[in-house]
Every structure is written in structure tokens, then in C-alpha cells.
Amino acid sequence: MASGSGRGRGRGSGSNNSNSKTQEYFGTIQPDLFVRQAGEPKVGSSGRAQKCYANFIPIEMEKVDYSIYQYHVEFDPTVDSKHMRERMLLHPNVTDEIGRYHVFDGMILYLTTEWQQNQEIEVPHPKTEDLIKVIFKQTNRFLLDNAQTINIFNTIIRRCFDEMQLTQLGRHYFNSKDARTVREYNMSILPGYETAIRMYEEKLMLCVENRFKMVRRDSMLSLFRNEMQACQNNRMRVLEKMNEMYGGTTIITLYNNKLHRFTRLDWSITPMSEFQKDGENITLKRYFKDQYDKDITVDDQPIIISEGKPKQPGEPPQINYIVPELCYPTGLTDEMRKDFRMMREIATHTRMSPQQRLQETRKLLGQFHENDKVRSCLQYWGIRLDEDLARVNARVLKSEPLLAEGTKKYEGRNAEWARGIKECGVYRGSNMTNWIVVGPSSGNSGMLAQKFIGEAMRLGNTLRVATGDPMCVPITGVTPNDYLDGVKRAIQQVNGEKVHMLVVLLVDDNKTRYDSLKKFLCVECPIPNQCVNLRTLAGKASDGGENKNFGSIVLKIFLQMICKTGGALWKVNIPLTDTMIVGYDLYHDSTLRGKTVGACVSTTTGDYTQFYSQTRPHENPTQLGNNLTHFVRKALKKYYDENNNNLPTRLILYRDGAGDGQIPYIKNTEVKLVRDACDMVTERAAKMSNKEHKPIKLAFIIVTKRVNMRILKQGANANTAINPEPGTVVDTVVTRPERMDFYLVPQFVNQGTVTPVSYNIIYDDTQLGPDKHQQLAFKLCHLYYNWQGTVRVPAPCQYAHKLAFLTAQSLHGDSDEQLRDKLFFL
């Protein structure tokens, strides 16, 4: 049955190969997230077994069936600080009535025993000692198997972190006592955790992911004063620089542990500015003293404006007024990211090996078990955390051989095969007999240009690609206009003759120059083109001016040139006939605020080595859906033209760029639009060819790269962990019962811990089954020609990402139709 057709709320699905005791709380899952029928098989069989850990802690419910009572809590007069409200509910006046281990999220209180319907208790304010009336109103009662339970359990875990004296920054908790220092930038790196409880295949589990927060020790006021000094007290200039440097960055206010987006600095407001609160005028300075017990020492500092999301659509954004003296910047600036020495130092603290992750998670689990207050809190709610991380029986798919010209084949090592392509050549060559090189001709640049041409022609012979002598067009200047004029002059000189490839040798990575050339050569005058930064070819002075990796660099460039002129570097054996594979991804346009570029790349041949690309901008989900319909119809038309007027019998669509919150919309709307587009094209093809075309079967798969799940391969014993091998598949224990999903590790990683990729099959009537879907995904990760190795997602998705990026960053419009059947965007 189709995975998503008429699908309701599944129950009792669990992993279908386990006889272990289950605690099924499927009611904790939102009903509109179910895309899997009860009992529908989702476990594959290919590959060899591999024992692994996952960064999950299984949960056993000791109280399996109890009611949760919900109360709305009000404070009279109003208390703005959530921290103060939480402290007030821990006052003996309250805890004598309801106990210490209730759950309170700042507004809603949850208890496991019923209390009287409405209660009022007076509690002194922790700072001012003024009596505050706390009003409790019962609003709901529900059982454990309820969607709200997950929010409550996650709040309980946060409560446990509070008891362990970890510091909450934003949504996550950090250990400020274990902070690491980067002295050069006066910055602390705080280690911490991101946690989430949810229902997995057989039971509730707690996912624990290591997180790090970079916090500067200099307040925004200190940085502001530095800029005042640098700009000689020119206020306007300081405002411009501060807004330019920090606009859009995240700042933290430690008095309430909240993160804010820096929008702008406003000198018209100071700590002495007044606003109305509870019917009286109050200054910002007094407000922060009353609410947070924070003394502001500088009265004439400007205020930071932080604009949040509007409460309701159509309303203005919520505005927070933040005092620079009380907030600190987080994260890394562009200047820091360019400092390779500093980035290397940060990586030593933040890039954790599988062994370190195993040890850190076990250490945290030990603290959960050893802390008396944490144990009491969990016991009150009937929650028992397991003694160790979840164990997973993964499978490792066999490595894929790469097919070259004729019968030649080779295999990579650790999913990389740069050496193999040099020895065996390419699967399908291309014609570059008529190519042009535009760039500087004098000095060192001219020497590098000639060396590049010589190496490219040598590689042409080695890889059996037809390569003639290029026409060289020198330029004297290096401005964007000089380069553009040189390109136009070169095109005029060929007198209308077809140019197979135009290479532009750039003196640096100036974005304006690059964008103008790409826009001209991809949109206005379509010619396959390759921009080469001469600095990547040049050697270091310490190496005598010679680049030791010159041959490897030119090889990668030349392989790109082959792809852009219609060649294919290798293929893998995909035993599916009459199938079209589509990749879709998004990227935000840098010039069009609010607009996003959607890109679609589809296969057009049975060997899955030729692709057709399309782009379109959209502003909202409705336009995105309409664009997807347009993409599918055009992709099918291209396939029809390339395959003797035959349509595919299967369409497999990989949809990247979607979060969990979008799944219901994609399931209910986008899948239907794609299904309708397939049916429409089938009907039209039948009328045009006067022959019957079979209905196109569809698989719609959401690909998610950003996941908190980590797979740790068990080492020589239970106390060691290493990275799993490429081709590792996980489809039990830590997958979701409401999904037809699996995790795949396609790449080899030798630094840090590999991140698996999630595949969620939300619709499928192809009858391929889970095993073939898993194998197909791994095979497709081998077909990205910009890297001699596997990539994290199926190649059509990676191509779509690359295309969307180029369109949004440089082209700002559709490429010419002549280029769309080639990988011009690599």
C-alpha cells in the first residue's frame, strides 16, 4: 500500500524484528505526522551486521498510567522575569501544597495529583519582598499517552539540569564551570547539551547531543566604547559600524539566559528613557533593578533594539530593548572565521571524537543517577533512565564499484577514489576542441596561465577527452569590466563558431567580478564556462614559488570542465529501468529579501549520468508547491524527449530543505501536486503519441542533513567507539514509529563524529520496499561529480543545492535553456 495514501494514525508499529517488551506511547505523536501504516515493514536486509551505540538513553516508565493536571498560573502584580516566577513557585508557601517536583514552564503548571480547582497563594517577591498574589486555575486533565506529555517530560529534563546547576543559555544547558578560554579574543567556550524526549520505535528515549556556546567576555558596552574610541566619538559612524558588524548576530542577556537577534543600535533611547508599566511611568534602569536586580552604571549608553517574530501574522514584530552593559555577543565574527589558527584552536575543543561523545554522554547519565534531587524529580514523575546508551544493530552496505569507459571499473578506499579516475579514465568524455582562455598574460599570472593550459591538455590525452589548442585572449586590467570586455572580445573573435568551453583566469576571489561573469555567461550569452582563481594555482614562497599540489588542483578543475561540456566521470550500477530521479533544494536569494530560490535537478537517461536543471524563486509555501508542479512537468517532458517519446514508469523525488514542522504540509499538499503533475503529463503524452502510457509510480522522500542523532560504532569492547563505515544503515530502535524512515552514513570521516542523514519516505507506491530504497540512496551518493568520493545526500539533491546557491548568489535569474542539460553550475 502507498506510504502516505489515505494514511491515518498508525498504532503498534514498532520495529518489526524485535520481540522485546515495548512501552508504546503513540498518542504522544501528533496525528498529522503519521505516514506509516500499522505493521508496515520498514527494515532492510542487505549488508553485514554491525553493533553500534546511538546517542539515546532509553526510558522506562515506572508509573505506566496516570493523569496529568494542568493549571494556568497568574501573578498579581505582574512578574516579567521567568526565573523569578519559577523561584516563587519553589517558595514553601507553594511547595507545602503541591510539592517540589512539579513542572512549571513560566505560565503553565503540571501536577500528577489533582489539586483544588482554583487557588490563590501569597508569596514574597525574591528580590523586593513585596507580596505577590499567585493565582492557580485548573484548565485541563489528560493521560500520559498524550501529545502534551512530550513537552512536560522535556521540561522535567530541563528541571534536572537546573538541579545539577548547569546554566541555561537559550534552549540548551551548559556547564560554565568547565568553560574553555580562547585568550586572543577574550572568549569562553561553554560545553553543554541539547536534549529531547520523544517516542521512538519501541519506547520513549532521551536524545543527548553535545553542544558548545561561544560567549565573549567583553560586554556590548565594552565593544561599543572601543568603536567610539576608534571613530573619535563620531556617533553616526559608530552606529553604522556597530549595525554593520553585529546586525543579525546573536547576543545573550545573562540575567535571564535568553538569546536575542541584534537588529540595530538606537541612540534616541537610553537607560533613563521611560515607558509605562502597570499604569505608571518607569525608566529602563529602574525596571531592570526591580525585575532582575541588575544595576546599570552608565546612563547615557544607547539601547540595542531586538526585533522578534510577530505574535500573529500581519502584526508588527515584537521589540525587546536591551542595555549593552547587560548583554554579550555570542558565536564567531567574520574576522574570527578568517583566523585559521584560532579556528584550529576552537576545533580542538568542539570537534568531538566518537570515543569522547560516548564518555561524555555516559558521564552525564551517571550524574542523572547519582544526584539525589534529580533522582527524586524523575521518581515523582515515574521516569527511569536506562543505565547505558541505546544499542543498535546497524547494517553496512557493500561498497559500490565505479564504472569507467568500456569494461573498466575500480573501487574507492574509504569512499574516495581520486586515484582510480586518473588510472581508469572517465565513463563518458566530452568535446573541448574549441576552447578559450581569458586572463592576464604578463608576469607570474601569464606563466601560471601557460602552465595551466599545458597541464589541461596533458590531462585531456590521459583521460581520452578531445582537447584542442585554446585561443588565448589577454586582458590588461583586472576590474570586473576589464574581464567582461575580454570575454566579449573573445566571443567576437570566434565569429559565431561554437565555443565548447570558456575558461576565465581570475586574479582573486572578488565576488562582484565573479558574479558579473557568471551572469553574462550563464544567462545573457550561454557558454559552458570555468572560473579559475590563479591564487589556488600559485605556490607558496616557502616552497620556492612551486605549488606541490598543482597537478591535483588542475585535475579537479579539468574534471569540472568535462562535466560542464556534457561528459560523465563515472557511473554506478543502478538496476532500475524506466526510472527518473529528482532532487530538490532551496537557497535564499542574497538580493531579494523574503524570496527563496528553489532548484530541481532530474535524471534524463537510464544510466543516471545525465541531468536536467531548473530554478524558480518563491515567497511562500503555495508558490513553492506550484513551482514543484512546474519542475516535475518540465522534467518529465525532458525525459520524454530524450527517451524516444517514452515516460518513466517510476519517479523518485528527494526533497531537501524541509524541517519537521513542514512535514504535514508536504504530505498533504506537495505530494498531491506532484502526483497530479505526473498524471497530467501521462494524459498529455497519450494524446500526443496515440499510445497508452502507464501511470507513473511515485516515491516522495524527505532528506534531512541536520539531525541530532549520532551513530557510534562499537570498538574492540563495550567501552570504545569509533566512526561507522560508509554505507552504514540504521532502520530500527532509534527510528520513528510514525515514519517509513532510515538513517544512512554515506561518507568516511576521520575528524570528529560523522553525522548520519535521515530519509523519511512520506509517500511510496513504487513497491520498491525499504531495502531497495536504502541501497538506492547509497548508490546515488556516489554520483556527485564535483568530488571524487561520496557526498552526504543523493547526487541530484547536491546538484540542486549547488544550482540554487549559484542562482541565489550570482545569477539572480534563470540560466539559459541551452545550458540546462549540462552541469554548468559546478
Side-chain angles (χ1 to χ4, degrees):
M1 190 172 188
S3 295
S5 56
R7 175 155 302 209
R9 181 171 169 177
R11 290 251 177 196
S13 32
S15 64
N16 58 323
N17 65 343
S18 175
N19 296 316
S20 62
K21 179 184 174 185
T22 64
Q23 289 190 326
E24 297 172 342
Y25 295 101
F26 297 113
T28 62
I29 303 166
Q30 294 290 352
D32 57 0
L33 294 177
F34 278 87
V35 296
R36 178 186 176 204
Q37 294 286 11
E40 189 175 0
K42 62 185 285 186
V43 179
S45 57
S46 298
R48 55 183 170 81
Q50 176 63 62
K51 290 182 179 179
C52 293
Y53 293 107
N55 59 331
F56 291 82
I57 300 169
I59 293 173
E60 297 289 344
M61 294 304 301
E62 295 177 328
K63 298 178 186 176
V64 294
D65 189 16
Y66 61 83
S67 293
I68 297 174
Y69 299 88
Q70 177 180 304
Y71 296 83
H72 181 77
V73 184
E74 295 179 3
F75 296 82
D76 184 20
T78 305
V79 177
D80 290 339
S81 168
K82 180 184 173 184
H83 179 61
M84 295 297 175
R85 296 197 297 268
E86 289 171 338
R87 284 182 61 183
M88 291 170 72
L89 257 67
L90 290 174
H91 191 276
N93 292 1
V94 178
T95 57
D96 287 348
E97 292 280 339
I98 64 174
R100 177 179 172 80
Y101 298 112
H102 55 263
V103 166
F104 179 59
D105 66 4
M107 186 176 295
I108 305 296
L109 171 73
Y110 299 99
L111 301 173
T112 59
T113 53
E114 189 168 15
W115 196 22
Q116 294 180 18
Q117 287 285 335
N118 297 305
Q119 287 285 318
E120 291 184 7
I121 299 177
E122 285 193 330
V123 178
H125 191 284
K127 294 298 180 185
T128 64
E129 297 295 327
D130 296 336
L131 284 178
I132 306 292
K133 190 186 293 182
V134 186
I135 305 160
F136 302 86
K137 296 179 182 177
Q138 186 175 340
T139 55
N140 199 3
R141 169 184 174 272
F142 48 89
L143 295 173
L144 199 59
D145 193 22
N146 187 286
Q148 291 190 69
T149 303
I150 293 299
N151 295 330
I152 296 167
F153 282 8
N154 282 311
T155 307
I156 292 167
I157 295 300
R158 290 196 288 272
R159 177 73 182 276
C160 292
F161 281 134
D162 287 330
E163 299 289 3
M164 290 158 61
Q165 297 186 328
L166 296 183
T167 304
Q168 185 180 6
L169 300 179
R171 295 181 181 180
H172 312 319
Y173 278 80
F174 297 88
N175 186 356
S176 53
K177 295 175 184 175
D178 194 24
R180 299 95 191 251
T181 303
V182 181
R183 288 189 178 84
E184 187 173 340
Y185 285 93
N186 200 21
M187 181 173 70
S188 294
I189 301 175
L190 307 182
Y193 306 97
E194 178 182 353
T195 59
I197 291 177
R198 70 169 73 240
M199 182 67 203
Y200 291 91
E201 287 296 340
E202 296 169 354
K203 58 179 66 179
L204 294 166
M205 287 200 277
L206 172 67
C207 177
V208 180
E209 170 62 342
N210 299 89
R211 286 281 177 255
F212 295 90
K213 177 65 70 177
M214 275 68 111
V215 179
R216 304 271 289 277
R217 293 180 175 180
D218 297 318
S219 70
M220 291 299 295
L221 178 61
S222 300
L223 299 172
F224 171 76
R225 282 173 165 168
N226 292 342
E227 289 303 323
M228 283 289 287
Q229 196 170 1
C231 296
Q232 299 177 341
N233 294 324
N234 184 329
R235 288 190 172 191
M236 289 303 296
R237 180 65 186 130
V238 170
L239 282 181
E240 287 175 8
K241 283 195 71 177
M242 290 291 286
N243 290 339
E244 181 185 337
M245 288 166 62
Y246 296 103
T249 62
T250 301
I251 54 177
I252 188 167
T253 47
L254 294 179
Y255 52 79
N256 60 359
N257 295 321
K258 283 194 173 180
L259 301 174
H260 308 268
R261 183 74 64 191
F262 185 112
T263 304
R264 65 183 182 278
L265 205 61
D266 192 334
W267 215 300
S268 67
I269 309 173
T270 70
M272 301 310 294
S273 298
E274 293 185 341
F275 67 100
Q276 276 217 334
K277 183 179 185 296
D278 297 330
E280 66 168 311
N281 287 341
I282 182 175
T283 63
L284 285 170
K285 182 174 182 176
R286 184 183 150 199
Y287 170 81
F288 280 102
K289 178 63 177 174
D290 291 350
Q291 291 294 329
Y292 301 105
D293 195 29
K294 289 294 179 183
D295 293 306
I296 295 173
T297 59
V298 180
D299 293 340
D300 64 344
Q301 58 186 304
I303 296 298
I304 294 171
I305 305 296
S306 175
E307 293 183 357
K309 294 180 180 178
K311 285 188 176 180
Q312 297 293 334
E315 291 186 2
Q318 297 183 72
I319 294 179
N320 287 314
Y321 298 95
I322 302 167
V323 181
E325 186 178 345
L326 303 179
C327 66
Y328 300 81
T330 68
L332 302 173
T333 64
D334 290 339
E335 179 190 354
M336 293 176 183
R337 292 182 196 279
K338 290 176 182 176
D339 188 336
F340 294 112
R341 186 169 54 83
M342 179 205 167
M343 293 302 290
R344 191 165 58 244
E345 182 182 347
I346 290 175
T348 61
H349 301 298
T350 60
R351 188 181 286 153
M352 299 179 72
S353 68
Q355 183 66 29
Q356 289 172 312
R357 284 182 187 273
L358 181 66
Q359 291 170 346
E360 284 295 316
T361 310
R362 282 177 169 170
K363 178 181 171 184
L364 175 67
L365 184 55
Q367 291 171 339
F368 272 114
H369 287 307
E370 293 161 12
N371 188 298
D372 292 337
K373 291 181 179 178
V374 170
R375 272 208 320 271
S376 299
C377 181
L378 294 175
Q379 191 173 357
Y380 173 85
W381 289 92
I383 297 171
R384 185 174 69 82
L385 297 179
D386 206 330
E387 298 296 323
D388 200 5
L389 277 69
R391 294 171 185 261
V392 180
N393 289 322
R395 290 175 291 109
V396 184
L397 302 178
K398 66 178 183 179
S399 61
E400 287 291 331
L402 289 308
L403 307 180
E405 185 183 24
T407 58
K408 293 179 182 176
K409 63 169 67 175
Y410 53 95
E411 285 195 24
R413 183 180 178 187
N414 293 331
E416 291 184 22
W417 50 84
R419 178 177 294 179
I421 195 167
K422 284 186 76 172
E423 293 174 352
C424 298
V426 298
Y427 170 67
R428 184 180 66 247
S430 63
N431 183 6
M432 279 191 282
T433 52
N434 187 15
W435 61 302
I436 299 172
V437 177
V438 176
S441 60
S442 59
N444 192 47
S445 297
M447 289 168 52
L448 280 173
Q450 290 305 312
K451 191 175 177 183
F452 168 80
I453 292 168
E455 182 67 14
M457 294 181 70
R458 188 187 69 77
L459 285 170
N461 292 329
T462 304
L463 299 175
R464 291 173 292 283
V465 174
T467 312
D469 291 323
M471 180 178 81
C472 297
V473 178
I475 58 170
T476 53
V478 294
T479 66
N481 284 336
D482 291 330
Y483 270 92
L484 210 51
D485 289 342
V487 167
K488 290 177 181 177
R489 195 167 68 248
I491 295 169
Q492 286 176 349
Q493 289 179 29
V494 297
N495 292 321
E497 192 177 344
K498 184 175 180 180
V499 178
H500 298 131
M501 169 58 63
L502 195 152
V503 178
V504 185
L505 303 176
L506 304 173
V507 291
D508 56 31
D509 58 0
N510 179 277
K511 187 177 186 305
T512 304
R513 183 194 299 117
Y514 180 83
D515 290 354
S516 64
L517 287 166
K518 282 292 179 183
K519 189 173 180 65
F520 179 75
L521 290 169
C522 296
V523 180
E524 298 169 27
C525 181
I527 297 174
N529 60 88
Q530 179 73 41
C531 290
V532 179
N533 185 349
L534 287 169
R535 289 184 179 179
T536 61
L537 301 178
K540 297 177 182 177
S542 57
D543 295 330
E546 288 292 323
N547 190 333
K548 295 178 180 178
N549 299 316
F550 186 86
S552 299
I553 294 168
V554 177
L555 172 63
K556 289 177 180 178
I557 294 169
F558 192 73
L559 293 176
Q560 282 187 0
M561 292 163 60
I562 294 172
C563 297
K564 290 178 179 181
T565 49
L569 305 184
W570 57 80
K571 69 165 278 195
V572 295
N573 180 34
I574 299 178
L576 289 178
T577 57
D578 304 325
T579 301
M580 184 173 81
I581 297 168
V582 179
Y584 180 83
D585 203 357
L586 313 168
Y587 199 88
H588 297 292
D589 195 314
S590 58
T591 61
L592 301 173
R593 188 173 183 181
K595 282 204 173 184
T596 301
V597 173
C600 173
V601 174
S602 55
T603 59
T604 60
T605 56
D607 60 3
Y608 306 100
T609 63
Q610 287 185 273
F611 303 89
Y612 179 66
S613 58
Q614 308 169 67
T615 58
R616 264 192 167 192
H618 64 265
E619 294 180 352
N620 53 56
T622 302
Q623 286 185 0
L624 185 155
N626 294 338
N627 288 354
L628 203 51
T629 302
H630 171 83
F631 289 150
V632 170
R633 285 162 60 181
K634 281 199 73 174
L636 287 170
K637 175 66 169 66
K638 184 69 176 177
Y639 186 99
Y640 181 84
D641 293 340
E642 294 288 328
N643 291 272
N644 298 318
N645 296 346
N646 288 308
L647 287 172
T649 57
R650 275 184 296 250
L651 190 155
I652 300 172
L653 191 150
Y654 294 95
R655 164 82 153 85
D656 206 341
D660 279 7
Q662 296 169 276
I663 290 175
Y665 177 84
I666 294 172
K667 180 185 76 169
N668 298 324
T669 305
E670 290 187 15
V671 170
K672 183 180 183 302
L673 289 169
V674 174
R675 177 78 273 166
D676 291 346
C678 291
D679 295 342
M680 188 185 302
V681 172
T682 304
E683 289 176 17
R684 188 173 296 175
K687 289 178 182 177
M688 288 174 60
S689 61
N690 291 320
K691 67 176 182 179
E692 185 181 354
H693 289 269
K694 293 180 182 178
I696 299 170
K697 295 178 180 179
L698 172 67
F700 196 117
I701 304 166
I702 295 176
V703 182
T704 308
K705 298 187 291 292
R706 292 185 179 179
V707 295
N708 289 334
M709 204 266 264
R710 297 291 182 271
I711 303 169
L712 315 175
K713 176 183 173 182
Q714 185 175 312
N717 56 60
N719 292 319
T720 58
I722 57 177
N723 272 317
E725 300 158 61
T728 300
V729 173
V730 172
D731 54 12
T732 61
V733 183
V734 292
T735 47
R736 309 270 190 93
E738 75 275 18
R739 296 180 175 183
M740 284 292 294
D741 65 334
F742 62 90
Y743 291 91
L744 172 66
V745 176
Q747 291 179 297
F748 173 77
V749 170
N750 57 10
Q751 289 185 321
T753 306
V754 70
T755 302
V757 175
S758 166
Y759 291 80
N760 181 13
I761 306 170
I762 63 170
Y763 182 94
D764 183 17
D765 61 10
T766 63
Q767 298 175 337
L768 286 179
D771 199 60
K772 284 191 172 66
H773 273 298
Q774 293 164 9
Q775 292 183 65
L776 177 61
F778 186 48
K779 286 174 182 288
L780 290 172
C781 290
H782 290 71
L783 285 175
Y784 183 64
Y785 294 144
N786 211 19
W787 166 247
Q788 292 83 57
T790 52
V791 287
R792 289 194 65 203
V793 296
C797 271
Q798 189 67 23
Y799 288 133
H801 172 77
K802 194 81 172 171
L803 172 61
F805 178 83
L806 176 69
T807 304
Q809 287 285 316
S810 302
L811 306 186
H812 310 298
D814 284 348
S815 57
D816 192 275
E817 185 68 31
Q818 294 180 43
L819 296 178
R820 293 187 189 177
D821 60 350
K822 301 177 181 66
L823 300 173
F824 71 93
F825 43 83
L826 291 184

